[in-house]
Amino acid sequence: MDPRRRRISRRRRRRRGTLVILFLLAATAGIFYGLNSPYFHLARVEINGLQHLGEEEVLEWTSLQAEVSLWRISTAQVAARLESHPRIAGAQVTRRWPDTLVIHLMERRPVVYVAYHDLWLALDDAGIPFALETDPPGDVLRLEGLGLVDQPLGSPLPAGSRGPVLCALLVAQFGMDWVRRITVQESGELVLWLEHDVPARLDGSEDLLRSQLAVLAALWEQWRDQAGQVSYFDVRNPQRPAVKVPDDPGGGDR
């Protein structure tokens, strides 16, 4: 290649190099502006799905700082912080440009309340306690007699509570709303208090709970209209359930 062509080639390479540098500088300046421009500062947080939680508590849990750029917010980290709240089962966080963060929450729903000192622990459908209540609503199943001493929110109940808690969860899952409360006896047996304060006895064995509850549901369907005549149901042996009727001429079980 002759000297003239080499000089032209070098000038073209220098121009291309200069253009690349200018482009990178412009891109860097644009990114810097985007990260720091007040136009993208967080101005509003929209929270959807609130039931029991308040907006201020949710905002505090996000740990968001004032005048932070929307570009700098990690939506995954904010969602993870929210999901560490005992009452929150799930959170989705998205950006709405230029200045809004949108939070969709799914709060835990109480399935059963467990007696805890002078209070009640609210359990979700996984049996995890997530809140303390002084006076829970009367339409939610109650479980008494576990004897809990120290139970942190968000942590599973002790292993010894597994059977009674499973029973309560199954009652809720099966839609047995005619079961009002469950008490744990010292022997480990369970008493389910039905409508009209009719007791039903279960032995509390985890492997028999489903069959015992199925038999109890069948008995209740049969006797519901005559529940006032029943002293108790006994399904401790689901193969041979018993119904105690006081005015039975034989004075025994059926």
Side-chain angles (χ1 to χ4, degrees):
M1 181 182 296
D2 61 58
R4 181 172 176 275
R5 288 184 178 181
R6 284 199 295 270
R7 287 196 298 271
I8 293 174
S9 178
R10 283 197 297 268
R11 284 197 295 268
R12 287 176 177 173
R13 286 198 298 269
R14 282 196 296 267
R15 281 198 297 268
R16 284 198 296 268
T18 302
L19 289 174
V20 170
I21 293 172
L22 290 174
F23 174 79
L24 292 175
L25 289 173
T28 302
I31 293 172
F32 180 82
Y33 175 79
L35 291 176
N36 296 279
S37 171
Y39 182 71
F40 296 106
H41 282 177
L42 179 64
R44 191 166 71 96
V45 178
E46 179 182 308
I47 305 174
N48 302 308
L50 291 176
Q51 296 181 22
H52 301 283
L53 292 171
E55 286 192 4
E56 290 186 4
E57 183 176 359
V58 173
L59 288 173
E60 183 178 353
W61 211 266
T62 64
S63 300
L64 291 171
Q65 298 180 355
E67 297 187 356
V68 63
S69 173
L70 210 60
W71 292 97
R72 296 181 182 275
I73 296 174
S74 169
T75 56
Q77 289 181 2
V78 174
R81 285 196 293 267
L82 289 171
E83 289 174 352
S84 67
H85 192 292
R87 275 192 177 272
I88 297 176
Q92 181 184 36
V93 182
T94 57
R95 302 179 184 90
R96 183 186 296 158
W97 302 101
D99 59 3
T100 302
L101 200 68
V102 181
I103 298 174
H104 296 275
L105 294 179
M106 183 173 66
E107 292 191 31
R108 298 186 188 277
R109 182 177 65 88
V111 173
V112 58
Y113 284 100
V114 175
Y116 182 64
H117 302 292
D118 295 329
L119 301 171
W120 295 88
L121 281 170
L123 270 60
D124 65 7
D125 56 6
I128 302 298
F130 65 90
L132 281 170
E133 302 284 351
T134 56
D135 187 21
D139 59 346
V140 180
L141 183 65
R142 301 187 182 202
L143 175 59
E144 303 170 333
L146 286 183
L148 299 175
V149 177
D150 184 16
Q151 178 59 49
L153 298 181
S155 299
L157 295 178
S161 306
R162 182 172 174 177
V165 170
L166 177 60
C167 179
L169 296 178
L170 289 173
V171 166
Q173 179 182 337
F174 295 161
M176 302 169 68
D177 55 358
W178 35 272
V179 179
R180 303 304 192 194
R181 59 190 175 93
I182 301 174
T183 57
V184 183
Q185 307 299 298
E186 290 185 2
S187 63
E189 293 184 351
L190 304 177
V191 177
L192 278 60
W193 295 91
L194 317 182
E195 289 180 1
H196 309 288
D197 282 333
V198 179
R201 300 173 183 170
L202 283 71
D203 74 354
S205 301
E206 291 183 43
D207 55 346
L208 292 177
L209 280 176
R210 286 176 173 79
S211 57
Q212 291 178 93
L213 291 174
V215 170
L216 178 60
L219 290 174
W220 183 252
E221 182 68 23
Q222 178 183 352
W223 286 90
R224 186 167 191 165
D225 294 338
Q226 307 173 62
Q229 303 175 26
V230 178
S231 294
Y232 64 79
F233 296 102
D234 189 339
V235 294
R236 288 175 292 183
N237 181 354
Q239 304 300 322
R240 299 186 61 185
V243 182
K244 176 66 176 178
V245 182
D247 59 355
D248 187 340
D253 298 338
R254 295 186 183 181

